[in-house]
Amino acid sequence: MADPEKLFRVNVVTPNGMIYSHRGSIVDVRAVDGERSLMYNHLPLLTPLVISEVKVKRSREMSSRIDHIAISGGYIEFSDNVATIIADSAERARNIDVSRAQAAKERAEKRLKEAREKHDERTEERATVALKRALNRISVYNTKGH
């Protein structure tokens, strides 16, 4: 008889509320110090995350489907078999409006170019972050094979 699958709760929360809450077998995140994969009974953890994709591998009964979520950085806490990601913004791949993300990318590229021409470091930093967020959203959307 096969061993029962070890699952844990994965929650993604933003200031707008709960974006994601499901049980999974593995969650992959990108922390400021590199990639992390968390599984059932992982040691307690609290670490900052960068603008990136979060992947949640679901249960075998869900055909081990992988859910893709674009986050704008934040933190992950893992304890008592609950992974909680707190982010300023997060979107599941299926909810990303790719045309809106493409428009945000173009706006950020324009602001970045103008800031560099004016040597405006603060605007350049903000435009760089906006560009990373837009590119991440487009990448996560495309990962799902849309």
Side-chain angles (χ1 to χ4, degrees):
M1 178 180 236
D3 290 332
E5 189 171 19
K6 307 264 192 205
L7 301 174
F8 60 94
R9 175 66 54 189
V10 180
N11 298 319
V12 179
V13 182
T14 71
N16 294 327
M18 185 79 68
I19 301 300
Y20 183 89
S21 182
H22 290 286
R23 291 165 31 109
S25 61
I26 300 173
V27 63
D28 294 323
V29 297
R30 190 173 308 139
V32 295
D33 60 350
E35 298 285 333
R36 301 279 176 95
S37 292
L38 307 176
M39 298 172 71
Y40 186 83
N41 275 347
H42 193 284
L43 290 173
L45 169 79
L46 175 64
T47 193
L49 303 174
V50 297
I51 296 169
S52 60
E53 175 181 26
V54 172
K55 294 182 226 169
V56 180
K57 184 176 180 185
R58 301 288 295 277
S59 67
R60 287 190 293 251
E61 73 181 28
M62 294 285 298
S63 302
S64 298
R65 178 175 93 207
I66 296 177
D67 292 335
H68 302 265
I69 306 158
I71 63 161
S72 62
Y75 289 87
I76 185 168
E77 178 203 14
F78 188 92
S79 112
D80 298 323
N81 287 312
V82 176
T84 303
I85 296 170
I86 301 170
D88 287 334
S89 68
E91 281 181 280
R92 292 184 69 166
R94 68 181 188 200
N95 297 334
I96 293 173
D97 180 342
V98 74
S99 60
R100 204 174 108 230
Q102 188 65 39
K105 173 186 172 275
E106 291 166 7
R107 283 191 310 274
E109 288 171 336
K110 182 179 176 196
R111 283 198 326 261
L112 188 58
K113 182 178 182 237
E114 291 169 354
R116 286 181 176 154
E117 288 170 356
K118 295 178 183 178
H119 304 286
D120 181 348
E121 290 178 19
R122 285 182 62 178
T123 301
E124 183 177 343
E125 287 174 18
R126 286 195 308 269
T128 299
V129 169
L131 181 58
K132 285 179 184 177
R133 288 174 65 172
L135 290 171
N136 183 52
R137 291 175 64 228
I138 292 165
S139 173
V140 169
Y141 177 86
N142 289 333
T143 297
K144 284 295 291 172
H146 289 100

